[in-house]
């Protein structure tokens, strides 16, 4: 190992990246942009659902019932329409996602102790959102029923409303959400996106950087010189690891500052674990670059080997625990899953090395494996 | 240092025995052997796909191979570790102009990087950098990013970077392809200087046969095999024969008669050139006269054969020995086109800017029907841009042009139907057969359905593709593909044909077949042909030439007139054979002769007063104790013309 040669390689690479505008953008702008785009786009909270109302009763009780929807932060009241027929175009245009139809004699029926049917029409285009909408509607409806029951009890039994309420709902569920008290998906997404972006961008940069030299022939400068394989790999990749470390800090700041995700863990632990993670993903790019000859092929292969595991097998969209056994097994084969746990643990749970050492070890193992494989596969006297 | 290698007792620096290289099933080199002596410039000459690069990479220790043995500095290069041991003493420059350099880094940063890679200390680096950059005249551009250098400068920077650790053996893969002639001459000058000063040994590959004279020894390669080996003169000696030049009217009739008997007959501008292997210069003229009975023959004379003639003769021999039948002679369709002598292409002060950069600068010329007009220039000289403007693909920034009577700015589509265009990039569909490609292009150019079969049959005969009609294009060799590309461009019967570097990388026989077709098109069918090339030897075939340099036309005349003008302006080229050549070169330089240059073991210089200068040279060399073998006056080559014109232009610009 000759430090002067390593330094020369690293310095050359660094200057090339800085001066090549496209590469510079790829290195520093794309990761942050990915974080922003996905952060706002992937928000899984369903709020502000636009809805319209057909009130064929126009009684005090129907208005009271409807107000419970209008006052909720989950719904945005768009207005009344005269008949059910008028709802169709609104739903078709996506101007509303939901409609509530109160039948005639709603109040009369209720006061007579008969059941009244309220029709709810929900746009089923996006099943996830539909399911959430249904949940909200059911919950608001249940609350109204409970209050009606409590009113009836208080009147018939002559007890106070409070007592009546307890009687109507003998068991109350006390919910407390841990780690993400407000259930804001952007908090979890912020942390998970660090996993995603740091899984995708370092391999891209690295693979392109190495294959570029193969494609235009400057790799022969390395082949034909006395630079050793190790010197080349270290010198060539140091700038890429450096860029990714900078990106760790940038993405961290975005998750914390912009998405408002709390950071409860140990900063140093998280930082070091992240460095191991990007070393590992840089190794993915290096390995890819050894199998392809053109930059186009490098990009395609990188997409396949990084995006698929980081989206599907990392816990970003689907929790690992709810996968089938085959899926769980595959998830354990990719480094993304381990870092997702580290990131969520550090951001939301405030846990550190004591709880996460196994995951860190897994990442370190990956890094060593990928770099060693690349070292062994890289030849200065190839067959073609 | 630079001693005659034949008497040098030193063991060879490089020894290759029965070298075999395969890429999967594809055989790249099949049993090549060669030896390179210390201090010589060894050449590998051959077209694309000959196996030159594979062999050079194996010698440089950057490519594993399948069979045979490679020994460099006495070390068997049979493993990665073995290859590592000699890399300290090696310099390797891969193919492609400046492609191995780093475009974002400046000239100086590139040099520094190579030096650090090669463990050159700071003092040594400063010293060598100074010297090499001065030698290559790059020192003014130290801070310029490499991507902004011209082709010739990139090539020289590549050379500097390869030399910065002072290797004993340098391996340069096609360093002169597509470079302008002045840079090319500079390149050879630098190489010669290194040879003299430090006894560097060089292995250089080239696709230009006319560079053969630069080498001490060389191997002619084709399709993975070494066809001939030895000193240039010795290879010529292997193929004794007579080369005749003549004028005959009508030229095509004479050409066809001679081709029937002597396959190495070609039309060079208004002349015919016949190489007759085995014939003696005394009897050859009589034989030719007999074949041309009834035609008007003038200017019949015997000239010295060139390496290309020998190469082609060897190829023919090899093919006959291998039981291969020669490709059948073209059976030209005898339809006579109207005798149209009008102007087919006219360019008037064409300009084209790309941002700040002026790629084409006030280019004017005319091409008549039936004329072969050549645009000769280095990569980046603006040749392709001119063609794109004339074919209506790219709008000009200024100036105007007309093609086949239509103004190219207003009649883009109308022009396209009257012209044929063979582009530089290979534009055929590889997964279609020859016939399918022709049919597709005929349809694209709007040949009517009922005339389709006839139109295709015509070009199949013209391009000699009958035997390959049902084959897939991807299986065809380069030379035949180029003929197919030509056939596709001709299928709609255009009156004007544009060819953009159609013969790059094609072997010499393939090139000649291609030119036979062009000659027929121009002479018999009176098609106007505009062709670009960077092969100087190919340019000789044109009726009229425009030399392009840095976007401008710097000379415009017939090849013969260009040469005559050079002789009148700058003097006669003398070739001097002397022993030892380096001492002779030094003596001539000191005596103040203008730009003596070393070509292998011979020296070329320009003499303003040939008779007096010859006497001076004899006296001078006798005085220095250098043995003079011979002084031969040479006709200047187009390269000489080109170099002279460029330098003259530069001097004028400096004065202005």
């Amino acid at each position: 190992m000759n430090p002067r040669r390593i330094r020369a390689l690293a310095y050359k690479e660094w200057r090339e990246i800085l001066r090549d505008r496209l590469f510079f953008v790829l290195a520093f702008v794309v990761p942050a942009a990915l974080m922003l785009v996905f952060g706002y786009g992937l928000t899984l909270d369903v709020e502000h659902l636009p809805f319209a109302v057909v009130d064929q009763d126009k009684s005090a009780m129907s208005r009271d019932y409807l107000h419970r929807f209008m006052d909720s932060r989950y719904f945005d009241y768009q207005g009344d329409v005269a008949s059910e027929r008028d709802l169709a175009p609104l739903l078709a245009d996506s101007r509303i996602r939901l409609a509530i139809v109160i039948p005639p004699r709603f109040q009369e029926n209720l006061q007579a102790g008969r059941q009244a049917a309220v029709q709810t029409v929900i746009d089923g285009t996006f099943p996830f959102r539909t399911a959430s909408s249904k949940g909200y509607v059911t919950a608001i409806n249940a609350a109204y029923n409970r209050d009606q029951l409590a009113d009836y009890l208080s009147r018939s039994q002559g007890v106070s409303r409070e007592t009546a309420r307890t009687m109507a709902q003998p068991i109350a569920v006390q919910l407390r959400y841990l780690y993400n008290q407000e259930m804001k998906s952007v908090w979890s997404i912020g942390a998970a996106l660090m996993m995603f972006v740091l899984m995708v961008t370092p391999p891209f940069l690295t693979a392109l950087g190495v294959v570029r030299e193969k494609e235009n022939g400057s790799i022969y400068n390395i082949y034909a010189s006395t630079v050793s394989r190790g010197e080349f790999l270290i010198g060539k990749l140091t700038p890429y690891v450096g860029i990714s470390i900078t990106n760790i800090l940038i993405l961290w700041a975005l998750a914390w500052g912009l998405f408002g995700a709390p950071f409860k863990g140990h900063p140093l632990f998280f930082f070091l674990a992240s460095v191991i993670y990007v070393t590992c993903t840089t190794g993915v790019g290096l390995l890819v670059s050894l199998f392809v000859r053109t930059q186009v092929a490098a990009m395609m292969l990188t997409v396949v080997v990084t995006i698929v595991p980081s989206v599907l097998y990392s816990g970003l969209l689907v929790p690992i625990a709810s996968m089938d056994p085959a899926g769980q097994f595959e998830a354990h084969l990719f480094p993304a899953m381990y870092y997702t746990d580290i990131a969520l643990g550090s951001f939301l749970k405030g846990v550190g090395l004591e709880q996460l050492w196994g995951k860190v070890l897994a990442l370190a193992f990956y890094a060593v494996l990928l770099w060693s494989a690349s070292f062994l596969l890289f030849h200065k006297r190839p067959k073609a | 240092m630079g001693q005659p290698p034949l008497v040098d007792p030193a063991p060879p620096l490089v020894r290759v025995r029965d070298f075999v290289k395969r890429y999967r099933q594809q055989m790249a080199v099949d049993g090549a052997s060669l030896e390179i002596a210390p201090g010589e410039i060894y050449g590998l000459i051959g077209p694309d796909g000959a196996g030159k690069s594979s062999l050079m990479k194996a010698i440089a220790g950057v490519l594993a191979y399948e069979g045979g043995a490679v020994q460099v500095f006495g070390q068997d290069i049979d493993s990665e570790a073995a290859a590592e041991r000699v890399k300290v003493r090696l310099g390797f420059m891969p193919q492609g102009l400046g492609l191995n350099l780093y475009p974002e880094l400046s000239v100086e940063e590139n040099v520094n990087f190579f030096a650090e890679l090669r463990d050159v200390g700071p003092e040594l680096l400063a010293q060598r950098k100074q010297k090499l950059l001065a030698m290559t005249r790059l020192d003014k551009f130290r801070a310029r990013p490499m991507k902004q250098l011209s082709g010739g400068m990139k090539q020289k920077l590549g050379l500097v970077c390869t030399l910065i650790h002072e290797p004993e053996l340098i391996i340069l893969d096609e360093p002169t392809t597509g470079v302008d002639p002045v840079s090319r001459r500079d390149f050879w000058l630098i190489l010669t200087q290194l040879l003299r000063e430090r006894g560097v040994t060089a292995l250089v590959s080239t696709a230009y046969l006319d560079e053969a004279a630069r080498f001490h020894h060389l191997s002619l390669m084709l399709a993975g095999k070494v066809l001939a080996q030895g000193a240039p003169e010795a290879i010529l000696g292997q193929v004794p024969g007579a080369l005749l030049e003549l004028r005959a009217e009508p030229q095509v009739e004479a050409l066809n008669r001679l081709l029937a008997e002597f396959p190495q007959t070609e039309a060079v501008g208004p002349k015919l050139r016949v190489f007759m292997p085995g014939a003696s210069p005394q009897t050859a003229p009589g034989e030719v006269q007999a074949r041309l009975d009834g035609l008007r023959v003038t200017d019949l004379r015997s000239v010295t054969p060139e390496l290309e003639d020998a190469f082609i003769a060897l190829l023919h021999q090899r093919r006959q020995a291998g039981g291969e039948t020669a490709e059948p002679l073209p059976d030209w369709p005898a339809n006579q086109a109207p005798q149209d002598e009008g102007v087919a292409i006219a360019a008037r002060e064409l300009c084209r800017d790309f941002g700040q950069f002026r790629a084409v600068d006030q280019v004017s010329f005319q091409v008549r029907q039936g004329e072969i007009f050549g645009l000769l220039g280095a990569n980046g000289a603006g040749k392709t841009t001119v063609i794109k403007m004339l074919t209506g693909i790219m709008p000009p920034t200024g100036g105007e042009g007309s093609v086949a009577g239509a103004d190219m700015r207003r009649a883009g589509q109308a022009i396209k139907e009257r012209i044929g265009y063979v582009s530089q990039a290979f534009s055929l569909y590889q997964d279609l057969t020859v016939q399918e490609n022709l049919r597709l292009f005929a349809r694209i150019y709007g040949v009517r359905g009922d005339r389709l079969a006839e139109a295709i049959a015509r070009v199949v005969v013209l391009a000699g593709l009958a035997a390959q009609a049902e084959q897939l294009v991807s299986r065809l060799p380069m030379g035949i593909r180029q003929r197919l590309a030509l056939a596709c461009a001709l299928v709609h019967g255009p009156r004007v044909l544009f060819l953009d570097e159609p013969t790059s990388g094609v072997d010499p026989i393939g090139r000649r077949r291609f030119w036979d077709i062009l000659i027929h098109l121009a002479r018999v069918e009176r098609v106007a042909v505009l062709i670009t090339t960077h092969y100087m030897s190919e340019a000789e075939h044109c009726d009229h030439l425009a030399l392009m340099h840095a976007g401008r036309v710097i000379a415009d005349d017939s090849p013969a007139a260009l040469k005559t003008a050079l002789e009148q302006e700058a003097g006669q080229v003398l070739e001097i054979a002397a022993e030892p050549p380096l001492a002779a070169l030094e003596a001539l330089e000191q005596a103040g002769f203008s730009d003596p240059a070393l070509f292998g073991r011979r020296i070329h210089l320009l003499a303003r007063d040939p008779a007096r200068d010859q006497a001076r040279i004899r006296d001078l060399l006798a005085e220095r104790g250098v043995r003079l073998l011979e002084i031969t006056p040479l006709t200047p080559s187009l390269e000489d013309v080109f170099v002279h014109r460029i330098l003259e232009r530069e001097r004028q610009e400096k004065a202005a």
Side-chain angles (χ1 to χ4, degrees):
Chain A
M1 285 285 163
N2 177 329
R4 187 166 175 244
R5 285 202 290 239
I6 295 177
R7 211 205 50 168
L9 278 160
Y11 189 43
K12 178 227 84 183
E13 197 65 29
W14 178 242
R15 279 178 304 187
E16 275 198 296
I17 295 167
L18 285 190
R19 289 179 199 175
D20 186 338
R21 231 172 277 163
L22 186 71
F23 226 75
F24 184 81
V25 167
L26 209 56
F28 292 106
V29 181
V30 167
L34 277 178
M35 183 87 167
L36 293 178
V37 169
F38 280 82
Y40 286 119
L42 253 182
T43 302
L44 301 176
D45 298 328
V46 181
E47 288 181 6
H48 302 295
L49 284 163
F51 80 108
V53 164
V54 183
D55 187 353
Q56 293 166 340
D57 193 42
K58 299 207 193 306
S59 58
M61 283 181 86
S62 73
R63 271 192 293 278
D64 178 37
Y65 180 77
L66 287 173
H67 260 288
R68 295 186 175 237
F69 288 90
M70 294 174 193
D71 296 342
S72 157
R73 72 169 157 121
Y74 300 112
F75 297 97
D76 269 357
Y77 172 63
Q78 299 293 314
D80 266 53
V81 292
S83 75
E84 283 175 67
R85 224 174 304 137
D86 298 334
L87 290 174
L90 293 176
L91 281 163
D93 285 2
S94 300
R95 268 181 284 168
I96 59 170
R97 298 280 182 195
L98 187 108
I100 298 167
V101 184
I102 309 276
R105 294 191 301 204
F106 173 76
Q107 178 167 336
E108 195 186 316
N109 281 335
L110 284 179
Q111 283 170 345
R114 286 190 297 268
Q115 194 181 36
V118 172
Q119 192 191 3
T120 313
V121 187
I122 305 179
D123 176 354
T125 320
F126 298 98
F128 177 75
R129 198 170 54 204
T130 310
S132 306
S133 310
K134 179 192 162 206
Y136 300 151
V137 172
T138 316
I140 291 175
N141 191 61
Y144 186 80
N145 277 339
R146 202 177 57 228
D147 288 355
Q148 288 298 311
L149 188 57
D151 280 355
Y152 171 74
L153 284 172
S154 100
R155 261 180 289 137
S156 60
Q157 304 288 320
V159 294
S160 73
R161 281 181 74 102
E162 285 310 307
T163 320
R165 239 173 241 208
T166 320
M167 288 167 73
Q169 193 179 16
I171 301 173
V173 180
Q174 288 278 327
L175 267 180
R176 198 178 139 229
Y177 297 111
L178 281 179
Y179 310 130
N180 188 352
Q181 286 83 348
E182 293 185 48
M183 277 293 283
K184 281 197 174 166
S185 67
V186 73
W187 287 12
S188 321
I189 290 276
L193 275 180
M194 283 193 70
M195 174 281 298
F196 174 72
V197 175
L198 293 176
M199 179 76 218
V200 175
T201 53
F204 247 95
L205 282 178
T206 312
L208 287 182
V210 177
V211 174
R212 183 162 67 164
E213 292 218 26
K214 273 198 197 177
E215 206 173 57
N216 60 25
S218 58
I219 194 77
Y220 281 105
N221 301 336
I222 307 304
Y223 290 165
S225 72
T226 41
V227 171
S228 74
R229 294 187 285 163
E231 285 166 359
F232 170 68
L233 293 180
I234 294 173
K236 174 92 190 170
L237 297 187
T238 303
Y240 294 100
V241 176
I243 289 168
S244 298
I245 291 175
T246 315
N247 277 324
I248 292 174
L249 301 173
I250 295 174
L251 298 178
W252 196 350
L254 283 179
W256 179 72
L258 204 60
F259 297 153
F263 187 81
K264 299 175 181 164
H266 310 287
L268 187 65
F269 162 75
F270 180 60
F271 177 73
L272 292 178
S274 300
V275 170
I276 296 175
Y277 179 61
V278 296
T279 310
C280 173
T281 57
T282 302
V284 172
L286 175 60
L287 198 60
V288 164
S289 72
L290 296 179
F291 289 101
V292 295
R293 287 160 176 280
T294 62
Q295 297 190 63
V296 174
M299 290 209 285
M300 296 207 290
L301 190 55
T302 316
V303 166
V304 173
V305 302
T306 62
I307 294 195
V308 172
S310 61
V311 171
L312 298 183
Y313 295 110
S314 63
L316 177 67
L317 293 181
V318 187
I320 307 289
S322 44
M323 289 179 172
D324 59 23
Q328 290 199 18
F329 176 73
E330 281 178 60
H332 283 80
L333 289 182
F334 298 113
M337 184 198 85
Y338 304 100
Y339 186 72
T340 309
D341 289 346
I342 293 173
L344 288 174
S346 292
F347 267 91
L348 301 177
K349 297 189 182 174
V351 293
L353 190 61
E354 312 86 74
Q355 289 80 11
L356 294 168
W357 63 269
K359 321 269 179 193
V360 177
L361 207 62
L363 289 182
F365 169 74
Y366 263 107
V368 172
L369 185 75
L370 288 164
W371 282 68
S372 315
S374 304
F375 178 77
L376 293 175
L377 284 170
F378 179 75
H379 291 291
K380 287 179 65 187
R381 190 169 167 269
K383 280 197 177 305
Chain B
M1 300 295 110
Q3 290 305 301
L6 291 179
V7 296
D8 199 326
L13 216 60
V14 177
R15 182 178 281 162
V16 177
R17 285 272 163 275
D18 306 320
F19 175 83
V20 176
K21 175 67 204 169
R22 271 188 301 269
Y23 296 99
R24 304 235 165 86
Q25 295 307 305
Q26 186 83 30
M27 186 65 95
V29 185
D30 184 10
S33 302
L34 59 85
E35 281 184 5
I36 304 174
E40 73 171 336
I41 303 182
Y42 196 99
L44 289 180
I45 307 188
D48 287 2
K52 308 186 298 289
S53 290
S54 298
L55 182 52
M56 297 181 105
K57 283 177 185 167
I59 295 173
V62 297
L63 183 70
Y65 51 89
E66 274 70 42
V70 175
Q71 216 179 53
V72 182
F73 298 114
Q75 166 83 49
D76 280 312
I77 309 295
D78 49 7
S79 70
E80 199 164 333
E84 285 304 290
R85 282 195 279 278
V86 294
K87 282 179 184 169
V88 173
R89 303 163 74 185
L90 273 181
F92 173 62
M93 185 163 99
Q95 199 175 349
L97 263 191
L99 279 181
N100 69 321
L101 302 173
Y102 303 94
E104 303 295 333
L105 303 192
S106 69
V107 167
E108 182 152 22
E109 284 169 333
N110 266 291
V111 179
N112 290 352
F113 172 67
F114 276 82
E116 283 166 7
L117 211 57
R118 292 295 199 158
D119 294 322
V120 179
E123 292 98 71
L124 266 181
L125 168 61
Q127 210 178 314
R128 288 180 194 166
K129 189 161 62 182
Q130 182 69 37
K131 182 165 169 250
L132 285 167
L133 289 181
M135 207 164 164
T136 47
R137 288 186 274 141
L138 285 170
D139 40 1
K140 287 192 296 271
F141 308 104
R142 276 175 183 240
R144 185 180 289 194
M146 172 266 168
K147 62 182 173 189
Q148 289 170 14
L149 298 180
S150 73
M153 283 154 85
K154 284 179 187 167
Q155 169 235 39
K156 285 190 279 190
L157 177 59
L159 192 62
V160 171
C161 290
T162 311
L163 293 171
I164 197 73
H165 64 290
E166 298 207 331
E168 295 161 61
L169 171 63
I170 50 177
I171 298 171
L172 309 170
D173 196 357
E174 296 207 10
T176 55
T177 301
V179 178
D180 70 275
V182 173
S183 302
R184 218 155 87 174
R185 210 185 52 159
D186 281 354
F187 166 83
W188 285 109
L189 203 70
I190 294 162
L191 207 61
T192 313
Q193 224 165 317
L194 286 166
L195 192 88
R196 285 160 72 181
E197 289 173 11
R198 277 193 265 110
V200 168
T201 308
L203 172 61
V204 182
S205 70
T206 178
Y208 301 118
L209 275 161
D210 47 3
E211 283 189 320
R214 301 282 190 173
F215 302 116
H216 296 112
H217 287 92
L218 57 94
S219 289
L220 285 177
M221 292 186 72
L222 188 84
K225 290 195 195 304
V226 174
L227 217 58
Q229 216 161 40
E233 311 83 51
I235 292 180
L236 269 177
Q238 281 178 28
V239 192
L243 179 64
L244 297 182
E245 271 186 7
L246 62 131
R247 283 169 190 260
E249 284 299 328
Q251 194 190 23
V252 173
E253 169 73 20
L255 177 64
N256 287 345
R257 283 203 210 170
L258 289 173
L259 269 176
E261 192 68 27
F262 311 111
Q264 282 183 258
T265 306
E266 56 173 346
V268 179
K271 285 186 277 188
L272 289 174
R273 206 165 169 279
V274 195
F275 183 68
M276 302 153 75
S280 84
Q282 283 75 39
T283 59
E287 282 183 57
V288 166
Q289 286 277 14
R291 297 288 179 291
L292 298 180
D293 190 30
L295 303 181
R296 209 164 64 84
V297 178
T298 49
D299 295 344
L300 178 63
R301 66 196 184 104
S302 187
V303 290
T304 338
E306 286 165 23
L307 199 72
E308 182 159 337
D309 303 305
F311 190 11
I312 293 176
L314 284 167
L315 274 174
H316 280 301
Q317 281 174 14
R318 168 77 56 117
R319 287 190 182 166
Q320 271 160 15
E324 270 178 73
T325 46
E327 276 191 85
L329 281 172
D331 179 16
W332 305 120
N335 58 331
Q336 282 287 332
Q339 288 296 312
D340 174 5
E341 299 298 327
V343 171
I345 308 170
R348 276 178 297 276
E349 314 221 309
L350 277 179
C351 293
R352 173 73 206 192
D353 296 338
F354 295 106
Q356 293 291 308
F357 174 66
R358 175 148 284 196
V360 171
D361 192 5
Q362 297 186 27
V363 165
S364 306
F365 57 80
Q366 281 197 346
V367 185
R368 289 193 315 282
Q369 289 299 147
E371 190 176 40
I372 302 181
F373 186 91
L375 273 182
L376 179 63
N379 288 349
K383 308 188 296 287
T384 300
T385 313
V386 168
I387 285 199
K388 283 188 173 163
M389 289 193 284
L390 287 173
T391 48
I393 295 172
M394 187 185 276
T397 313
E400 53 190 64
S402 65
V403 174
D407 184 317
M408 64 178 199
R409 282 173 304 175
R410 263 165 252 133
Q413 196 51 44
I415 286 185
K416 277 170 200 156
E417 279 167 17
R418 274 177 254 176
I419 60 172
Y421 176 33
V422 178
S423 72
Q424 201 169 4
F426 188 68
S427 61
L428 297 169
Y429 295 89
Q430 309 250 352
D431 296 323
L432 296 184
T433 65
V434 167
Q435 190 75 28
E436 286 164 344
N437 263 293
L438 287 169
R439 184 173 284 272
L440 174 69
F441 277 90
R443 293 278 189 191
I444 290 174
Y445 281 118
V447 175
R448 287 213 327 267
D450 53 331
R451 297 201 46 239
L452 204 66
E454 185 198 333
I456 291 176
R458 188 181 73 89
V459 291
V460 165
V461 172
L462 192 62
L465 293 168
Q468 289 85 16
E470 299 306 326
Q471 285 188 33
L472 282 182
V473 172
S474 54
R475 305 258 171 82
L476 296 176
M478 190 75 168
I480 294 175
R481 285 187 197 188
Q482 292 299 48
R483 260 153 49 199
L484 174 58
L486 179 63
C488 289
L490 288 171
V491 72
H492 59 299
R495 303 294 300 142
V496 179
L497 185 60
F498 290 90
L499 302 156
D500 197 359
E501 299 198 354
T503 55
S504 279
V506 177
D507 68 88
I509 290 191
R511 281 223 303 273
R512 288 208 175 175
R513 280 292 313 258
F514 197 87
W515 273 94
D516 287 345
I517 301 168
L518 294 188
I519 296 280
H520 171 82
L521 281 172
R523 300 285 184 271
V524 177
E525 304 199 2
R526 310 302 298 172
V527 172
V529 179
L530 185 124
I531 183 167
T532 69
T533 181
H534 51 78
Y535 286 96
M536 299 286 163
S537 61
E538 197 163 82
E540 304 263 2
H541 293 67
C542 299
D543 299 317
H544 204 101
L545 266 184
L547 306 187
M548 280 196 78
H549 181 66
R552 295 193 193 163
V553 171
I554 56 170
D556 173 5
D557 213 331
S558 72
L562 286 169
K563 290 177 186 174
T564 314
L566 174 75
E567 286 187 328
Q568 279 163 4
E569 281 175 39
Q572 168 111 50
V573 180
L574 295 181
E575 185 182 72
I576 300 150
E579 205 57 64
L582 288 176
L585 184 63
E586 222 158 277
L588 291 167
E589 274 171 355
Q590 284 164 7
F593 279 96
S594 69
D595 300 339
L598 195 63
F599 281 69
R601 309 186 57 73
R602 287 154 189 266
I603 296 162
H604 289 189
L605 54 75
L606 274 172
R608 284 203 175 272
D609 183 349
R612 203 177 59 108
D613 284 338
Q614 285 202 30
R616 257 183 78 200
I617 292 167
R618 277 175 216 289
D619 295 344
L620 177 72
L621 295 185
E623 192 181 298
R624 294 288 188 103
V626 175
R627 195 156 61 89
L628 178 67
L629 301 175
E630 143 183 63
I631 301 182
T632 333
L634 293 181
T635 358
S637 68
L638 278 174
E639 178 156 349
D640 294 326
V641 173
F642 212 152
V643 168
H644 177 72
R645 293 285 176 182
I646 293 173
L647 293 179
E648 194 183 41
R649 168 69 62 127
E650 281 176 359
R651 271 195 292 273
Q652 280 171 5
E653 275 166 8
K654 240 174 232 166

